[in-house]
Amino acid sequence: MPSGEVDPADLDRLLGADPVAHAFVAAHVESHRRGKGSRVPPVVGTAGPDGQLTGACWTGTNVVPIALDEPGLDLVAGHLRRGGARYASIFGPAEPVLGLWSRLERSWPRPFDVRPVQPLLAIDHDPAPDPHPGVRFATSADLPAVLPASAAMFEEEVGYSPYSGGDRGYRDRVAALVGSGRCLVLTDERDRVVFKADLGSVARGVAQVQGVWVDPAHRGRGLAVPCMAAAVRLARRGTPVVSLYVNDYNTRALATYQRVGFRRVGTFATVLL
């Protein structure tokens, strides 16, 4: 089923089945629908014998499965194979992500990294730890300080510079987060970013946090928990649920999120291409 034939109501039904897991796709679908000319979202759908949508997968810059059974995985993998390995990553719920990759890995180039277990966490109440009073939403005046902090976070997390393919796209993305009031920061007396976290996707009552970072010079000072507690409280002014996913080997981050009050609600996986 080509993307143009995916019924919006059926797609919304699939996205609504798990708003936390599908926050990224839901936010992008909403953005496309608000766009010029009501652009059709880049979604591949799979249908049952009755023609009803049974599965779907986002195929924009990233590949993000929404719901796919075994036949659906075969169909979407075939679609992706014909299009070629032109995506930045495959990520989302672990089972369909790894199912897609098992069908693609012999025909696509070797990935940069495969992260098969990434706990998906969520919190739907204000954290118990006292929030840091200095955490706030960044403004345009903070952008010169936010950019190097964001780039440092990206390189530390992914393993290469976000500017490796040119700097304009990454700078624009960071500026858009700041401009839309979705970047949270703590700055020091010299206006340098000490802590940051981004609300990367906001949809259906869920804010998905990404880009959490503490300046290495300030680590070990007990900032992570109160800063994340403050970020969650601020995010929950607009959305009742805050979520994020983290690599299972990042035990320090997992401990921080547990202390803040996050609980595990699923498992993601990521294939970096």
Side-chain angles (χ1 to χ4, degrees):
M1 177 188 292
S3 59
E5 295 180 13
V6 174
D7 180 76
D10 280 346
L11 179 58
D12 287 346
R13 173 178 51 80
L14 291 182
L15 292 171
D18 191 341
V20 172
H22 304 322
F24 174 89
V25 177
H28 279 68
V29 167
E30 289 178 5
S31 177
H32 270 69
R33 290 174 178 171
R34 291 193 302 266
K36 257 189 171 181
S38 300
R39 295 175 297 163
V40 176
V43 174
V44 175
T46 61
D50 59 357
Q52 186 177 31
L53 191 71
T54 57
C57 184
W58 177 268
T59 56
T61 302
N62 303 284
V63 174
V64 188
I66 300 165
L68 293 172
D69 56 17
E70 289 296 315
L73 287 169
D74 291 336
L75 288 170
V76 172
H79 172 83
L80 295 173
R81 199 178 294 112
R82 289 189 295 275
R86 55 183 177 83
Y87 304 96
S89 71
I90 307 172
F91 75 89
E95 187 173 349
V97 165
L98 298 176
L100 280 176
W101 183 239
S102 71
R103 291 160 168 80
L104 294 168
E105 61 181 332
R106 287 183 292 276
S107 56
W108 279 14
R110 184 175 180 178
F112 180 80
D113 196 12
V114 177
R115 299 173 180 180
V117 182
Q118 297 175 304
L120 176 64
L121 312 176
I123 181 171
D124 60 2
H125 55 83
D126 281 345
D130 291 333
H132 195 295
V135 174
R136 57 182 174 80
F137 286 102
T139 69
S140 57
D142 296 304
L143 187 57
V146 171
L147 270 168
S150 296
M153 175 282 305
F154 185 99
E155 189 160 359
E156 184 176 339
E157 170 67 18
V158 180
Y160 58 86
S161 170
Y163 302 132
S164 57
D167 65 355
R168 181 63 183 270
Y170 187 73
R171 289 176 183 274
D172 287 349
R173 284 194 294 275
V174 174
L177 284 168
V178 172
S180 60
R182 287 162 47 198
C183 176
L184 295 140
V185 296
L186 172 67
T187 54
D188 64 13
E189 64 281 357
R190 296 185 182 180
D191 295 325
R192 295 174 299 193
V193 173
V194 172
F195 163 87
K196 69 168 286 293
D198 302 321
L199 307 183
S201 300
V202 179
R204 295 174 175 260
V206 178
Q208 188 177 82
V209 176
Q210 65 183 37
V212 179
W213 181 81
V214 176
D215 184 336
H218 291 266
R219 293 174 188 174
R221 300 183 183 182
L223 283 175
V225 169
C227 284
M228 273 304 301
V232 169
R233 283 175 177 264
L234 289 169
R236 292 193 70 249
R237 291 179 180 176
T239 55
V241 179
V242 178
S243 75
L244 53 81
Y245 60 99
V246 60
N247 295 316
D248 64 332
Y249 52 78
N250 193 343
T251 55
R252 292 183 66 179
L254 283 165
T256 293
Y257 300 140
Q258 184 176 23
R259 287 180 61 191
V260 170
F262 283 89
R263 62 184 178 86
R264 188 168 182 172
V265 296
T267 303
F268 266 27
T270 298
V271 180
L272 294 171
L273 302 170

